[in-house]
Amino acid sequence: MKKLFLITTCILALALNCNKSNAQTAFQKGDLGLNFGLGLGDNDGYYYGNYHSGNIFVPTFNFALDYGILGNIINSHGSISAGGYFGIGRGSNDEGGYKDIDNRWRLGTRGMLHYTWVNNLDTYAGLCVGYCYEKLKRKDKNSGNQWDSIDDSRFDIFPIAGVRLMFGSFGIYSELTWQDFAYFQIGITFIL
């Protein structure tokens, strides 16, 4: 274990030292970043009387906008951005004679600290603050009856980390968070 830690530390130090002089900030002050992606979230289910619905995986479509407000920080390899996000999602689960359908959306603002380790690779982390709405419907396949859950609307605040690999002004991105709306996202990005 000690050898693995030592080797990993040496490789990381070497990589950071080698790229330090070559890397230029991939996201700068005045840049406008647009992310369009697909995500995957889940729902632990809702209670209908004594019955608890099953876990539902919810695919989502997500949009985010970042605007560079402060540049040339952290040895001229970093920047700070402010922006917003919007997402919608719908998922379903068939269990027994019932179909559970989860509908959700979210809207909010986000602030990010960007850092460029390697040319054309924008790594970032930050905080998102906004509003999330979710509602679950249950349909009885045999009778056609339908029940709605109580609306789950809440104030959201959650950390997020991501990476953009740029090919000029176009690229691909991926983001991770522990918020159940979309734990993981992947998609295309533009920096204008």
Side-chain angles (χ1 to χ4, degrees):
M1 187 68 172
K2 290 179 184 178
K3 288 180 184 179
L4 179 63
F5 177 74
L6 181 61
I7 291 169
T8 305
T9 304
C10 289
I11 290 171
L12 183 61
L14 182 61
L16 291 176
N17 195 23
C18 288
N19 290 322
K20 199 174 206 179
S21 61
N22 296 333
Q24 297 175 358
T25 305
F27 194 85
Q28 302 174 11
K29 180 180 178 180
D31 283 350
L32 181 64
L34 304 170
N35 292 350
F36 299 92
L38 299 174
L40 185 60
D42 78 349
N43 179 317
D44 292 333
Y46 285 93
Y47 284 95
Y48 297 96
N50 292 328
Y51 177 79
H52 183 263
S53 69
N55 192 27
I56 301 172
F57 289 102
V58 182
T60 61
F61 172 77
N62 302 281
F63 169 75
L65 171 102
D66 295 311
Y67 181 74
I69 58 173
L70 182 63
N72 294 323
I73 61 172
I74 312 173
N75 296 326
S76 297
H77 295 287
S79 64
I80 294 177
S81 70
Y85 64 89
F86 173 74
I88 57 174
R90 180 182 171 102
S92 63
N93 182 26
D94 289 329
E95 195 171 294
Y98 298 97
K99 181 173 187 173
D100 295 322
I101 302 168
D102 183 303
N103 293 300
R104 55 177 63 178
W105 61 267
R106 68 179 178 178
L107 177 69
T109 62
R110 66 192 226 157
M112 299 290 164
L113 171 64
H114 300 260
Y115 192 81
T116 301
W117 302 87
V118 178
N119 282 336
N120 303 320
L121 187 67
D122 175 28
T123 55
Y124 55 94
L127 194 63
C128 297
V129 177
Y131 180 80
C132 184
Y133 175 85
E134 190 168 6
K135 187 168 192 168
L136 192 77
K137 293 183 179 186
R138 165 161 275 217
K139 292 183 179 179
D140 186 330
K141 292 181 186 178
N142 299 322
S143 69
N145 291 337
Q146 180 175 307
W147 301 271
D148 290 344
S149 69
I150 296 173
D151 296 354
D152 181 13
S153 58
R154 62 188 182 273
F155 173 74
D156 262 352
I157 184 166
F158 57 93
I160 191 166
V163 62
R164 287 184 179 121
L165 178 58
M166 300 305 300
F167 308 100
S169 62
F170 170 79
I172 56 174
Y173 85 97
S174 179
E175 291 181 348
L176 295 172
T177 183
W178 68 60
Q179 200 249 7
D180 67 355
F181 188 93
Y183 294 114
F184 173 75
Q185 294 179 42
I186 189 165
I188 59 172
T189 186
F190 301 92
I191 295 182
L192 310 173

